[in-house]
C-alpha cells in the first residue's frame, strides 16, 4: 500500500498562499484524516495528492518516487468526491466498471470485482438505476464502490459524508472503516467534522490557514493537544484557555488561584518559567450551586442544551468560561461556583503556544473523548 | 365568500396584465410571421406571378411540378452536401475546440471565447467579399500563399462542388463563433468533478469526450445541430447572391436560393410558395426533434 | 510535461483563430493600399504607401452619410422595439400564470427555427400593399417578429432567485416596482447583450432590404457594399475592402465594448434551465 511523503510542499495561487511548507508522512495502510475549517487547505492538500492541483514548490513522494509531475491517471489511486461525481447518464453498474473497462481488464475479473463491491456496499438490486433515481446514501455507496473496485493502493475521500443526513452519517462512518479493513488501502480522508475525524482516523492531521498544526492519534489530539489551536479546535465546546502565572504550588489566574498537585508543581518548577497558558476542558470543570472550599464564583450567561448534558457559559472576572455538566438546574443569571480538576490541566508555553507536556504520573491517563 | 371572490378577481386581473404584456409581441408575430406562413401555404395552390390581379387555383399542380422539376435533384443534392460540410465545420469542430478549451487548456479562456465569437458580429456581405478577395484564384492572399508551396488554387467559382465548399467556408466564418460559445456553455455545464473523476481513473481524453462530455451536453449538442442547419440555410442566401448568383449552372443554388429565384426573379410565386412549404417539412422535423430532446433536457438535470 | 501537452492545444486553438481572424486583418490592410500594391504586395499587412483614396472614393460615389443614417435608424428602431416587447413578454412568461402560457411560448419560440425565406413572399406582398416598399420603415417592420429576445431574456429572468420577488411581494411592491426595481436590474447583462446583438444583426441585415429597397439613397450599408462587387470580375478590391471596413466598424466596436456581457449571455443560453 502507498506511503505518501510531503516535503516542504507549498501551494500558491498568484500571491495567495494556500499551503505553506507542508511536511508529513502518510503511513502505508493507515487511515489519515485531514481536518480543519473550510478554507484551511485540507481539500487542496488532498487534490495535490490526487494530482488535480499542481504543486508550487516542494516534493511529493509516493512509495519513495517523486510524483509532482505524474498525472492523476498514472498515480494508481482512487477518489470519492464530495458530490460523488457519478456519471449521470450511466447506470450504477456502468459507473462502477467504467474505469475497469477502459483498463481492459478481463470480463470475468470485472464481473467478480463488481459483484463483490455490490455485495459489500449493499447495492444489490440497484444495478440498473441511474444516479438520479438513488438516495443520497446509495449514491455515496456507489461512489465508494467505484473507488474500491479499482483496487488501487490509495483511496482519497473528500468530505464523502457531508451530503448525508446525521443518522446515515453515523452508519456510514462504520461502513467506511469496515471497507478499509476489507481492502486495506491507504486512506486519506478530508473532513471538517471532528467527530468523523476522531471515529474514523488512525491519525488526524489538523490544518489551519494552510499550515499543519498537529498530526497525531485521535486520542492524543484530544488528551494531549500539541498546541493551543488544537486544544480549542478539538472537543465541543473547545478547551477553556487562560493566561496565568505559576508560583509555589499555585496557579494565579487574575485574582484567583488554584492549587496544583505535587506532580504538576514539580514539573513546572523544572521549567524555569512563570508565564503560561492554562487549559481545561469544559467537561473537567466541576460546578456547584453553593460556595465550597476552593471554588470560585461566576454568573451564568447562557445555557446550551445537548440533551443528556448541558453547556453552561458563565462569566468570572470578566472572562467567559464554559463547562459541560449533566445537571439541569443552572439558569442564566444565577450564581455559580466552580472548581477545576487540577489533575486534568493542560499547560502551554506562553510564547510558542505549544504544550509543555505532562508530569510522568499522568502518562497513560486517558480522558475520555466526548462528543455532543 | 368575499375572499374567494377577491381571489378570483385577482387571478383574472393578473391574467389580463399578462396578456397585455405579451400583446405587442404577439401582434407583430401575427402580422409578419403567422399570417405569412398561412398565406404561403395558401399561395402554393395558385398559379400567380405577383402582379396579375387574378390568381388561378391549380390545386396540387405546383407540388407536382416541384417533384418533376429537372433541377430539383441537383438543388437537393447541393443542399445536402452543403449541410453536411456545415455540420462538420460548425458542430464537430467547435465541439472539440470547446472541449479542449474547457477541460484541457487552463489559460486564456476569456480571450479565446471573445476572439472566436468576433467574426459572427460582422455582416455576411462583408464576409462574402472578404472571401471573394482572399480566395481569388489569381491575386488573392490564399492563392499567393499557396503559390509559395507550389499549389494552385482552382477557379472554384467555375467548378462544380468546389463552389459549395467555398460557400460553406463563408457561412462557417459567420456561424462558428456563436456555435462555439453556446457549445462551450453546454460543455462547461459538465461538473469539473466528473472530469476529475475520469482523469483519476486514467480515462483517455477522447474517451472522456465521447463517453462523458458528449452525452452529458447532448441537449446543447442537439440544439446546435439544429441551429446549424437552420441558420446555415438561412445565411447561405447572402454569399450565393453576392458571390455566385447560384452559378455555375445552378451548381451552388440550393433550396433557399431557389425559392428566391423562382419567387422574385422568375415571378413563379405559387411555385416558390410550394417550395417553401415543402422545405418547411424539414424545419418541422427539426422542430420536433428540438422539443422532444432539448426542451426536455436529455440526460443531465441538476 | 504538463506544459508541453497544453502548448500543443494552444497551437491548435491559435491556428483556428488565425483562420477565422485573418480575413478581417487583410480587409483592413488592403483598404489602405493602392490598387497596384494590392495586387503586387498581396501578403504584406502594412501598406508601403498607405492611402485614404479608397475611402474618399466611396464618399464621392455614394451618399454615404445618408446610407449610414438609414442603417442607424433601422437598427435602432428594430432594437428598441424588440427589446421592449421581448422584456414585456418574457416577464409575463416568467412571473405570470395564465391559460395557454406554455403553448403560446412554444409557438413563439418555434419561429426561431423557421428561416425568413419561408415567409418572404407574403411579407413582400404586405409591405407592398401598405406602400412601404423602397422605404426604410418597410425594412424595419418584418424584422420585429423575432423570438430570440423573448428566449434569452426569459432565460435570464428565470435564473433570478424567486425569493427576491417574494421578498418584494411581502413588502407589497407592485408589478412596476418589481419589474423596474428588481427584475430588470438583475437581468441587465442579458438585456444589454440581447439589445447589442439585435442592433448588430439588424445593422447587418441583407436579405430583406435587398428585396424591397430600390433607390441608393434608401440603402443600408450592406446593400451599398454590394454595389462595389461585380460578379463578372473587375472588382476594385481596395475600394470593396474600404466599404467592408466602414460596414463592420460599428458592429465590431459595439462587440468589443460589450464583449463580456454578450459572451456570458450566449454561454449560459445553451444551458437549459
Amino acid at each position: 500500500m502507498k506511503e505518501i511523503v510531503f516535503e516542504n510542499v507549498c501551494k500558491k495561487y498568484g500571491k495567495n498562499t494556500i499551503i505553506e511548507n507542508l511536511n508529513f508522512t502518510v503511513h502505508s495502510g493507515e487511515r489519515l484524516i485531514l481536518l480543519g475549517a473550510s478554507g484551511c487547505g485540507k481539500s487542496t492538500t488532498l487534490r495535490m495528492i490526487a494530482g488535480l492541483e499542481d504543486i508550487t514548490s516542494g516534493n511529493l513522494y509516493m512509495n519513495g518516487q517523486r510524483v509532482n509531475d505524474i498525472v492523476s491517471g498514472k498515480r494508481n489511486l482512487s477518489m470519492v468526491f464530495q458530490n460523488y461525481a457519478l456519471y449521470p447518464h450511466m447506470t450504477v453498474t456502468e459507473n462502477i466498471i467504467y474505469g475497469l473497462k477502459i483498463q481492459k481488464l478481463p470480463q470475468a475479473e470485472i464481473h467478480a470485482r463488481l459483484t463483490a463491491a455490490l455485495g459489500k456496499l449493499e447495492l444489490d438490486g440497484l444495478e440498473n438505476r441511474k444516479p438520479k433515481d438513488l438516495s443520497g446514501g446509495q449514491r455515496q455507496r456507489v461512489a465508494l464502490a467505484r473507488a474500491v473496485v479499482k483496487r488501487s493502493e490509495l483511496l482519497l475521500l473528500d468530505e464523502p459524508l457531508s451530503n448525508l443526513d446525521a443518522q446515515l452519517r453515523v452508519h456510514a462512518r462504520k461502513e467506511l472503516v469496515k471497507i478499509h479493513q476489507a481492502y486495506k488501502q491507504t486512506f486519506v480522508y478530508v473532513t471538517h467534522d471532528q467527530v468523523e475525524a476522531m471515529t474514523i482516523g488512525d491519525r488526524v492531521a489538523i490544518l489551519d490557514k494552510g499550515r499543519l498544526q498537529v498530526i497525531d492519534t485521535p486520542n492524543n489530539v484530544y488528551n494531549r493537544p500539541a498546541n493551543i489551536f488544537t486544544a480549542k479546535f478539538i472537543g465541543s465546546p473547545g478547551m477553556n484557555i487562560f493566561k496565568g502565572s505559576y508560583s509555589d504550588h499555585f496557579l494565579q489566574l487574575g485574582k484567583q488561584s488554584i492549587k496544583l498537585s505535587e506532580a504538576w508543581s514539580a514539573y513546572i518548577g523544572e521549567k524555569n518559567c512563570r508565564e503560561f497558558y492554562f487549559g481545561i476542558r469544559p467537561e473537567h470543570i466541576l460546578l456547584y450551586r453553593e460556595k465550597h472550599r476552593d471554588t470560585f464564583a461566576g454568573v451564568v450567561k447562557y445555557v446550551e442544551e445537548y440533551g443528556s448534558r448541558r453547556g453552561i457559559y458563565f462569566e468570572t472576572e470578566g472572562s467567559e468560561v464554559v463547562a459541560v455538566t449533566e445537571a439541569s438546574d443552572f439558569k442564566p443569571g444565577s450564581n455559580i461556583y466552580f472548581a477545576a480538576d487540577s489533575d486534568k490541566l493542560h499547560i502551554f508555553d506562553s510564547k510558542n503556544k505549544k504544550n509543555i507536556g505532562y508530569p510522568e504520573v499522568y502518562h497513560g491517563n486517558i480522558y475520555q473523548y466526548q462528543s455532543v | 365568500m368575499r375572499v374567494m371572490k377577491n381571489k378570483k378577481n385577482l387571478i383574472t386581473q393578473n391574467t389580463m396584465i399578462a396578456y397585455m404584456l405579451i400583446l405587442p409581441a404577439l401582434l407583430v408575430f401575427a402580422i409578419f410571421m403567422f399570417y405569412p406562413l398561412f398565406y404561403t401555404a395558401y399561395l402554393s395552390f395558385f398559379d400567380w406571378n405577383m402582379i396579375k390581379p387574378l390568381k388561378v387555383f391549380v390545386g396540387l399542380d405546383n407540388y407536382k411540378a416541384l417533384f418533376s422539376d429537372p433541377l430539383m435533384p441537383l438543388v437537393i443534392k447541393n443542399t445536402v452536401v452543403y449541410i453536411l460540410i456545415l455540420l462538420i465545420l460548425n458542430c464537430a469542430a467547435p465541439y472539440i475546440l470547446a472541449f479542449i478549451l474547457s477541460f484541457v487548456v487552463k489559460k486564456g479562456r476569456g480571450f479565446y471565447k471573445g476572439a472566436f465569437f468576433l467574426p459572427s458580429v460582422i455582416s455576411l456581405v462583408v464576409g462574402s467579399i472578404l472571401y471573394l478577395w482572399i480566395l481569388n484564384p489569381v491575386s488573392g492572399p490564399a492563392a499567393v500563399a499557396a503559390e509559395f508551396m507550389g499549389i494552385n488554387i482552382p477557379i472554384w467559382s467555375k467548378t462544380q462542388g468546389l463552389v459549395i465548399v467555398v460557400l460553406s467556408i463563408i457561412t462557417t466564418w459567420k456561424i462558428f463563433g456563436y456555435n462555439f460559445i453556446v457549445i462551450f456553455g453546454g460543455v462547461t455545464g459538465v461538473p469539473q468533478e466528473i472530469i476529475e473523476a475520469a482523469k483519476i481513473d486514467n480515462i483517455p481524453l477522447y474517451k472522456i469526450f465521447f463517453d462523458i462530455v458528449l452525452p452529458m451536453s447532448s441537449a446543447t449538442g442537439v440544439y446546435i445541430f439544429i441551429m446549424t442547419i437552420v441558420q446555415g440555410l438561412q445565411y447561405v442566401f447572402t454569399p450565393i447572391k453576392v458571390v455566385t448568383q447560384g452559378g455555375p449552372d445552378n451548381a451552388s443554388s440550393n433550396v433557399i436560393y431557389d425559392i428566391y429565384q423562382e419567387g422574385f426573379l422568375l415571378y413563379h410565386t405559387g411555385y416558390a410558395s410550394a417550395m417553401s412549404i415543402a422545405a418547411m417539412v424539414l424545419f418541422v422535423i427539426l422542430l420536433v426533434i428540438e422539443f422532444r430532446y432539448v426542451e426536455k433536457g436529455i440526460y443531465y438535470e441538476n | 510535461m504538463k506544459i508541453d501537452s497544453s502548448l500543443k492545444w494552444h497551437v491548435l486553438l491559435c491556428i483556428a483563430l488565425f483562420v477565422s481572424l485573418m480575413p478581417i486583418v487583410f480587409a483592413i490592410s488592403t483598404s489602405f493600399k493602392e490598387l497596384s500594391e494590392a495586387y503586387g504586395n498581396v501578403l504584406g499587412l502594412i501598406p508601403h504607401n498607405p492611402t485614404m483614396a479608397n475611402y474618399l472614393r466611396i464618399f464621392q460615389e455614394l451618399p454615404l452619410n445618408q446610407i449610414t443614417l438609414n442603417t442607424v435608424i433601422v437598427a435602432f428602431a428594430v432594437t428598441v422595439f424588440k427589446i421592449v416587447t421581448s422584456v414585456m413578454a418574457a416577464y409575463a412568461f416568467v412571473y405570470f400564470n395564465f391559460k395557454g402560457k406554455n403553448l403560446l411560448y412554444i409557438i413563439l419560440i418555434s419561429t426561431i427555427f423557421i428561416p425568413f425565406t419561408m415567409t418572404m413572399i407574403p411579407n413582400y406582398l404586405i409591405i407592398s400593399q401598405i406602400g412601404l416598399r423602397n422605404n426604410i420603415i418597410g425594412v424595419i417592420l418584418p424584422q420585429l417578429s423575432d423570438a430570440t429576445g423573448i428566449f434569452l431574456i426569459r432565460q435570464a429572468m428565470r435564473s433570478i432567485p424567486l425569493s427576491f420577488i417574494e421578498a418584494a411581494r411581502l413588502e407589497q411592491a407592485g408589478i412596476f416596482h418589481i419589474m423596474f426595481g428588481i427584475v430588470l436590474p438583475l437581468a441587465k447583462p442579458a438585456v444589454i447583450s440581447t439589445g447589442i446583438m439585435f442592433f448588430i444583426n439588424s445593422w447587418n441585415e441583407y436579405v430583406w432590404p435587398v428585396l424591397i429597397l430600390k433607390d441608393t439613397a434608401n440603402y443600408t450599408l450592406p446593400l451599398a457594399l454590394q454595389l462595389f462587387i461585380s460578379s463578372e470580375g473587375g472588382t476594385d478590391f481596395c475600394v470593396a475592402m474600404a466599404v467592408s471596413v466602414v460596414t463592420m466598424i460599428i458592429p465590431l466596436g459595439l462587440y468589443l465594448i460589450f464583449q463580456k456581457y454578450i459572451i456570458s449571455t450566449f454561454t449560459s443560453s445553451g444551458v437549459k434551465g
Side-chain angles (χ1 to χ4, degrees), chain A residues 113-133:
Chain A
R113 289 194 194 180
L114 172 70
T115 319
L118 287 172
K120 208 156 261 150
L121 285 151
E122 297 166 31
L123 291 166
D124 294 304
L126 304 174
E127 293 90 337
N128 295 318
R129 297 245 190 119
K130 295 260 172 78
K132 68 174 179 342
D133 301 320

Side-chain angles (χ1 to χ4, degrees), chain A residues 243-259:
Chain A
K243 194 160 191 173
S245 57
Y246 169 81
S247 64
D248 191 26
H249 289 73
F250 282 93
L251 267 183
Q252 202 66 39
L253 301 164
K255 286 181 206 143
Q256 300 165 343
S257 54
I258 302 172
K259 188 164 193 292

